[in-house]
């Protein structure tokens, strides 16, 4: 994962000192791109241990169209709790827009799979989580926004596009806002996994995952952690094995994913900016 270390070094060297919504302060750049050839291994950071279970359950939760944290917490995943209301609701976030866009019965995932299978040269294979009509009012709390039918948070990974060539499926994500220490390692692994799953159910080999950023930032309270992480040697990438029996994207279960040869350095703790 040289790509990740290069991103961290680039932002440390070129980042603008920038205030932010959470009041933490960041070093930030605007516009950056990474590319991962999925045939070279599963792009999971090796210079700190990542909690793959959270990544898999979060992705299955998006794919269910679920926007309540109950399913996540039942499975020991707490990464969305800070933003949910007292009932665990987050409002119309990712899962809702992916599977039931604007509550108009538009299932973007089903539609993109149809196109991937029937018209793979299409240049219209996009899924958008960015829906201006449900963006939160920033003068209100997370739960007030949810009560008003708005999303607790605007999506960070806002939209993605698929591309097929040479029998390989690639995916490019546009992420408008990226927390480089905590979020980005999760986001890379999540979309790499999603690309592999989509490739399997549509009958392609996995190609590249391309990660394009808007505001890519390092929070000031993550600087020491990243310094430690950069001092560690990068190890070979693990491999991800999917249960080959699964032919429908909505049939994947936690047990269908097997990660092999992941030998990371120890976990590094960091506080999430809320
Ligand atoms: N807000 C901020 N400030 N950063 C983010 O990365 C982020 N997200 C989602 C929504 N808002 C965000 C939530 N995703 C962790 C990881 C991903 C998150 C939120 C939190 C986190 O704390 N990770 C720890 C613990 C992992 C675990 O318990 O499983 C870690 O060490 O990796 C980005 O999409």
């Amino acid at each position: 994962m040289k790509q990740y270390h290069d991103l961290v070094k680039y932002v440390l060297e070129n980042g603008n000192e920038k205030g932010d919504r959470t009041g933490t302060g960041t070093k930030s750049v605007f516009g950056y791109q990474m590319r991962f050839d999925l045939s070279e291994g599963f792009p999971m950071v090796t210079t700190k241990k990542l909690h793959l279970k959270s990544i898999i359950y979060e992705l299955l939760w998006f794919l269910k169209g679920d926007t309540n944290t109950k399913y996540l917490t039942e499975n020991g995943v707490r990464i969305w709790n800070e933003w949910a209301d007292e009932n665990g609701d987050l409002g119309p976030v990712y899962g809702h827009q992916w599977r039931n866009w604007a509550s108009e019965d538009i299932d973007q995932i089903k539609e993109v799979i149809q196109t991937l299978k029937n018209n793979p040269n299409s240049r219209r294979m996009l899924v958008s989580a960015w829906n201006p009509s449900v963006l939160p009012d920033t003068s209100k709390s997370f739960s007030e926004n949810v009560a008003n039918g708005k999303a607790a948070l605007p999506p960070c990974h806002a939209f993605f596009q698929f591309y097929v060539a040479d029998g390989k499926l690639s995916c490019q994500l546009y992420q408008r806002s990226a927390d480089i220490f905590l979020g980005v390692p999760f986001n890379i692994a999540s979309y790499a996994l999603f690309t592999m799953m989509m490739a399997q159910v549509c009958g392609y080999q996995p190609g590249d995952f391309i990660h394009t950023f808007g505001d890519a930032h390092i929070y000031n309270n993550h600087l020491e952690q990243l310094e430690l992480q950069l001092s560690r040697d990068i190890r070979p990438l693990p491999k991800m094995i999917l249960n080959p029996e699964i032919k429908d994207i909505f049939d994947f279960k936690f047990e269908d994913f097997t990660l092999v040869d992941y030998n990371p350095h120890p976990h590094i703790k960091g506080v999430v900016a809320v």
Side-chain angles (χ1 to χ4, degrees):
M1 290 280 284
K2 184 178 180 302
Q3 296 97 321
Y4 180 75
H5 281 232
D6 287 346
L7 165 67
V8 173
K9 285 186 233 164
Y10 182 80
V11 176
L12 289 176
E13 281 164 25
N14 300 287
N16 304 298
E17 296 291 339
K18 193 162 168 280
D20 73 296
R21 171 185 63 80
T22 71
T24 314
T26 66
K27 273 196 176 26
S28 148
V29 300
F30 189 51
Y32 191 93
Q33 190 174 74
M34 301 190 289
R35 183 179 290 262
F36 302 94
D37 177 345
L38 299 176
S39 70
E40 291 174 356
F42 188 64
M44 221 160 121
V45 165
T46 57
T47 44
K48 74 170 183 189
K49 187 174 185 185
L50 270 193
H51 196 201
L52 183 68
K53 193 176 117 176
S54 298
I55 296 166
I56 294 175
Y57 276 117
E58 185 199 43
L59 179 58
L60 295 177
W61 176 71
F62 291 150
L63 285 170
K64 274 154 39 80
D66 195 348
T67 58
N68 185 288
T69 55
K70 185 164 180 282
Y71 169 82
L72 296 176
T73 47
E74 278 173 1
N75 289 296
V77 177
R78 289 169 294 273
I79 60 171
W80 280 101
N81 290 2
E82 276 90 347
W83 298 277
D85 72 7
E86 67 279 14
N87 303 314
D89 286 323
L90 289 158
V93 291
Y94 302 96
H96 183 85
Q97 304 303 341
W98 286 16
R99 302 296 317 284
N100 187 19
W101 168 264
S103 305
E104 284 175 7
D105 207 19
I106 295 170
D107 188 331
Q108 297 188 79
I109 304 293
K110 272 195 185 149
E111 289 184 12
V112 85
I113 288 173
Q114 282 307 313
T115 313
L116 278 168
K117 287 180 175 169
N118 301 322
N119 184 18
N121 285 333
S122 172
R123 294 177 290 221
R124 301 172 182 179
M125 298 186 287
L126 280 92
V127 172
S128 177
W130 187 262
N131 179 350
S133 64
V134 299
L135 296 182
D137 175 343
T138 44
S139 70
K140 297 203 160 72
S141 68
F142 300 128
S143 56
E144 279 176 300
N145 275 304
V146 172
N148 291 338
K150 304 290 183 189
L153 272 184
C156 293
H157 32 109
F159 58 88
F160 49 94
Q161 181 175 5
F162 292 102
Y163 175 94
V164 179
D166 287 337
K168 290 188 289 195
L169 175 69
S170 295
C171 174
Q172 176 167 203
L173 169 69
Y174 184 88
Q175 182 160 355
R176 64 160 182 95
S177 168
D179 173 345
I180 291 173
F181 178 65
L182 278 181
V184 169
F186 266 59
N187 303 132
I188 297 167
S190 178
Y191 276 86
L193 190 59
F194 185 39
T195 306
M196 293 177 70
M197 293 157 69
M198 290 290 275
Q200 175 165 311
V201 302
C202 296
Y204 302 110
Q205 292 300 314
D208 290 345
F209 168 58
I210 301 124
H211 201 162
T212 300
F213 294 110
D215 184 327
H217 46 271
I218 295 174
Y219 282 104
N220 290 338
N221 59 355
H222 294 160
L223 289 170
E224 277 177 29
Q225 286 90 330
L226 282 168
E227 207 177 305
L228 169 63
Q229 200 177 339
L230 284 185
S231 74
R232 295 173 166 179
D233 59 303
I234 296 173
R235 295 178 179 168
L237 291 181
K239 288 205 168 31
M240 173 61 77
I241 299 162
L242 305 186
N243 175 356
E245 313 269 286
I246 308 295
K247 297 292 177 218
D248 181 331
I249 195 81
F250 306 117
D251 287 347
F252 279 103
K253 296 182 304 301
F254 183 74
E255 297 72 34
D256 295 320
F257 304 93
T258 312
L259 186 72
V260 295
D261 297 333
Y262 186 49
N263 300 304
H265 292 264
H267 183 248
I268 307 174
K269 278 207 172 67
V271 174
V272 68
V274 177

